Amino acid sequence: MQGTDWSDLQVFLAIARAGQMARAGAALGIDPTTTSRRLRRLEARLGAALFEQTREGQVMTEAGEALMVKVEAMAQAAMAIGEPSRPRAAGQLTGTLRISASEGFGSWFLAAHVPGFVRAHPALTLDLVASSGFLSLSKREADIAVMLSRPKAGPVIARKLSDYSLQLYASQTYLDGAGTPLGPADLLKGHGLIGYIPDLLYAPELRYLDEVQAGLAPTVRSSSINAQHHLIAAGAGIGVLPCFMGDADPSLVPVLSDRRIIRSFWLVTHKDTHQLARVRAGRDWILDIVQRHRTLLLPD
């Protein structure tokens, strides 16, 4: 990359992270025309197209993926120069590690173990994105993703992390008022049901209720599993929660415990960055805590 303008590389990095030319320009404080011109200049200098245009925006080509590894390393080195207040020992991890996980797993499982990880890597910035949906590894929105299914395509490496179990829960107050279902068919007899909004599901693996009893439909719905937890705890109805959430709340009572649902978590990294030291550290950390606390995911 001898002779390449660093400002052009910054434009490339911004587009790769934002996934859209306009958003990248806004992040850099330049207009879309300038953003596009700098990208074309960089591509001409390198003799390769770095992005493909799709309906969603810009997606990196193989040449773009290869360049991304080098530019990210340069950006991290530049960032380290600007952080004199964070002295570090030789070999200590630096830069930013971004982990994308489902809302429940990120906030109820991973977050509890973050203190140990940051103590081990004090010069590393950790982004834990725990939300309803997953960031794209292909667009470099995250370094590691914990997903609900194995990706069917893309330049990624995936391995099964663990199965986990879910079941119905309710508050004791709700059961005292509405009665305790003795079988799945009882749920059809006037019980309030908590669940996802069907047209806002971000993964088909989140469809649960039909596996408990055909014909069940939620009467109170939310796109957020944390909101569903609060609704169940408040007595709005009966709902399905991962056992690592429901069992952690002493105010909740398991309902129809023989009707457990099994799903899986997959650990996904990008082919071009999975050997970076910070990515290996994050991956090994997640594998370790899942192995040590598997009974929270799959209780007896």
Side-chain angles (χ1 to χ4, degrees):
M1 289 187 289
Q2 186 174 4
T4 301
D5 190 329
W6 171 238
S7 65
D8 292 347
L9 294 175
Q10 287 179 304
V11 167
F12 164 78
L13 186 61
I15 298 170
R17 288 174 172 172
Q20 290 185 355
M21 197 85 69
R23 287 195 299 189
L28 293 171
I30 58 178
D31 61 77
T33 301
T34 302
T35 305
S36 178
R37 185 176 66 250
R38 289 186 180 178
L39 174 62
R40 300 286 90 79
R41 183 170 66 188
L42 178 62
E43 289 179 324
R45 186 166 292 158
L46 298 177
L50 301 175
F51 295 95
E52 293 179 1
Q53 179 67 47
T54 69
R55 287 182 298 177
E56 291 76 25
Q58 279 68 39
V59 176
M60 280 186 288
T61 62
E62 287 188 14
E65 297 279 1
L67 179 62
M68 183 67 172
V69 176
K70 299 175 182 178
V71 176
E72 278 195 325
M74 293 169 65
Q76 289 164 18
M79 187 184 304
I81 294 171
E83 293 182 343
S85 61
R86 297 182 72 182
R88 60 185 184 274
Q92 203 169 63
L93 297 181
T94 60
T96 299
L97 175 68
R98 179 171 292 178
I99 299 173
S100 172
S102 63
E103 183 184 18
F105 185 73
S107 56
W108 286 77
F109 187 87
L110 283 183
H113 304 283
V114 163
F117 183 79
V118 297
R119 283 195 297 269
H121 306 289
L124 182 68
T125 298
L126 176 65
D127 292 347
L128 176 57
V129 184
S131 59
S132 299
F134 301 103
L135 299 183
S136 170
L137 272 71
S138 296
K139 295 179 181 178
R140 301 306 175 97
E141 294 174 340
D143 299 298
I144 299 172
V146 179
M147 307 184 72
L148 300 179
S149 63
R150 183 173 197 149
K152 295 180 175 61
V156 298
I157 297 173
R159 61 177 291 177
K160 189 173 182 179
L161 181 59
S162 177
D163 288 333
Y164 69 101
S165 59
L166 310 95
Q167 69 175 59
L168 293 165
Y169 292 89
S171 70
Q172 189 61 58
T173 301
Y174 173 85
L175 296 176
D176 289 342
T180 300
L182 300 178
D186 291 343
L187 296 170
L188 295 167
K189 302 174 182 177
H191 277 287
L193 297 173
I194 312 298
Y196 282 99
I197 303 169
D199 55 334
L200 295 182
L201 283 175
Y202 63 89
E205 291 78 18
L206 299 176
R207 300 184 189 278
Y208 305 130
L209 290 177
D210 269 342
E211 294 184 36
V212 177
Q213 171 67 42
L216 290 180
T219 54
V220 180
R221 310 184 301 187
S222 174
S223 60
S224 163
I225 191 64
N226 282 330
Q228 290 178 43
H229 163 256
H230 286 300
L231 288 165
I232 296 167
I238 300 172
V240 174
L241 293 173
C243 292
F244 61 79
M245 291 178 60
D247 290 351
D249 186 342
S251 74
L252 298 184
V253 179
V255 176
L256 301 178
S257 295
D258 60 329
R259 290 282 174 159
R260 285 197 176 176
I261 299 164
I262 301 297
R263 292 289 189 267
S264 301
F265 287 126
W266 290 81
L267 186 63
V268 186
T269 54
H270 196 282
K271 283 183 177 179
D272 289 340
T273 59
H274 75 285
Q275 289 296 348
L276 292 178
R278 70 177 189 277
V279 177
R280 291 201 314 269
R283 180 188 63 211
D284 293 346
W285 168 66
I286 294 172
L287 289 168
D288 176 64
I289 60 176
V290 166
Q291 181 178 6
R292 288 190 290 113
H293 302 280
R294 198 175 301 273
T295 54
L296 296 178
L297 302 174
L298 282 169
D300 297 332

